[in-house]
Amino acid sequence: MNEAQATDTLSSRAATRLHGETTVPGDKSISHRSIMLGALAEGETEVHHLLEGEDVLRTVAAFRNMGVEIVRDDAGIYRIQGVGLDGLREADDVLDMGNSGTAMRLLSGVLASQPFFTVLTGDASLRQRPMKRVITPLSQMGARIFSRDQGRAPLVIQGSELIPIDYTMPVASAQVKSAILLAALNTAGGSSVLEPEWSRDHTERMLLAFGADVRREGMRVTVEGWPNLRAQHITVPGDISSAAFPLVAALLVPGSEILLPGVGVNPTRTGLLELLTMMGAHIEQRQPRVAGGEPIADLYVRSAPLHGIEVPAALIPRAIDEFPVFCIAAALAEGETRLSGAAELRVKESDRIHAMAVGLQSLGVTVTELADGLHITGRPEGLAGGVTVDSFTDHRIAMSFLVAGLRCREPVVVTRCANIQTSFPTFRAIMSHLGAQIS
Ligand code: S3P
């Protein structure tokens, strides 16, 4: 068995107390965008604390294949020699985006206006995910994108001159919004996107920092084409979506107290903190400050008894990646938690509604699977464990059930965990530093 296979199945066991301070890796969304905008700007962009997870490294590799020089120094700082909006060149092979929906959807936007031919593919999970949501608006801008099976990757993009768009998004999706805004950079005139709910706004913030003309009026974002993008120095905030795992673990394991310094607390991403606070958690955002146009803070949390809640619909896009671990909190809370209106969870790296329902049921939790959510009745006394749970190859499902194992009497084994590498390669080291045993 090689190392990759050995870490594909992991198990976690009851923890007594989590304690200490630890820095989580850089934000995945912001890391992708820093590489993309660094490549499209003029001059050298320097990126500190880039997430070196497989997803982001796919974006790095894709831009290298399109002729962009990206160098990592011994201190882990990435330097990108920007080629400008018209400086990318055709890759000589298919671009494999691995497990990353963000890489594939945002790159579709970048490539739609580039005068060359590209093929984008990904792993089995990514090839099942819906790409029509970006193909439709980009085609309205004049893009020529061909796909398999009515909107699934591999995608073939024959870049062409685009026309501006004023697009009303049917679902709140930062990836769709970003694909359009990135396509609009290389398009004469102003393009707008109207979003139904507030989705993460890292693209808008970073475009502003690079010097683009970006305006927000209510729920509509407009970007003007052909800006002068100037290289930047970026320090990527800690990823709140990764912080979510030690944070929920510390809430659930009695006697715990942890501090996570420098975590991004952009209000479009803090839905989980609000949900947990509604459940009775006390989470402090200490030393709030701004880094590279993004709000950050040190997150302090100690264990607390939680109670079930009804999830407010407006919070769903702002906590979209955190529902797997939120469901673990619900499974150990007093009473029932009700989540609906979250059908998007079915088209993430796995069908997260189904994956959570199956895993929680095997842990003995009472769960009802809805078309667009879950009802979960918690067991605050702890769970029995002693079972094997499938992660469906989804990094966040895997980490969520490993967190659940910390409150089980018998160990929980989780299979197909290799994709933890896509977003949180230091997950096990960080959890072990805090006192949790995951091996
Ligand atoms: C992301 C947006 C979200 C999120 C994903 C990252 C981004 O996806 O789930 O992990 O970086 O823009 P959707 O835009 O599909 O909601």
Side-chain angles (χ1 to χ4, degrees), residues 155-365:
L155 304 181
V156 169
I157 303 177
Q158 178 57 61
S160 50
E161 208 169 294
L162 303 182
I163 50 168
I165 192 172
D166 185 356
Y167 188 66
T168 300
M169 286 199 301
V171 285
S173 163
Q175 293 181 355
V176 175
K177 174 175 65 177
S178 301
I180 297 167
L181 296 178
L182 290 169
L185 290 178
N186 209 16
T187 303
S191 292
S192 302
V193 184
L194 181 69
E195 42 182 356
E197 298 278 354
W198 206 19
S199 71
R200 66 191 67 191
D201 64 357
H202 306 302
T203 303
E204 298 91 301
R205 285 173 185 258
M206 202 181 285
L207 278 171
L208 266 179
F210 273 79
D213 181 355
V214 187
R215 297 184 302 277
R216 175 174 276 272
E217 287 143 303
M219 300 303 280
R220 177 178 267 103
V221 185
T222 303
V223 66
E224 292 296 324
W226 293 333
N228 246 333
L229 297 179
R230 291 180 303 274
Q232 296 297 308
H233 283 194
I234 299 170
T235 298
V236 179
D239 196 332
I240 193 165
S241 297
S242 297
F245 298 100
L247 194 139
V248 169
L251 274 173
L252 296 179
V253 176
S256 300
E257 185 175 17
I258 66 166
L259 185 72
L260 304 170
V263 177
V265 287
N266 179 318
T268 60
R269 296 286 298 282
T270 48
L272 177 73
L273 304 185
E274 291 173 47
L275 292 172
L276 294 171
T277 303
M278 288 169 65
M279 294 172 87
H282 175 79
I283 303 167
E284 285 174 32
Q285 296 186 24
R286 294 184 176 170
Q287 316 268 12
R289 53 208 186 268
V290 174
E294 290 280 347
I296 65 170
D298 304 336
L299 295 185
Y300 167 83
V301 59
R302 56 175 185 268
S303 54
L306 303 179
H307 55 81
I309 56 165
E310 172 116 29
V311 174
L315 280 183
I316 292 173
R318 298 170 48 211
I320 193 69
D321 289 340
E322 283 63 76
F323 282 108
V325 77
F326 168 79
C327 289
I328 302 300
L332 286 150
E334 178 79 51
E336 193 183 41
T337 292
R338 298 159 79 88
L339 167 67
S340 59
E344 273 296 292
L345 295 177
R346 292 211 183 264
V347 291
K348 293 294 177 187
E349 285 83 328
S350 70
D351 175 344
R352 288 183 171 163
I353 293 176
H354 183 64
M356 289 311 297
V358 171
L360 287 174
Q361 265 152 14
S362 72
L363 284 171
V365 178

Side-chain angles (χ1 to χ4, degrees), residues 64-77:
R64 282 184 175 144
N65 284 336
M66 292 189 287
V68 180
E69 188 186 321
I70 305 175
V71 176
R72 176 196 194 275
D73 73 12
D74 292 342
I77 298 166

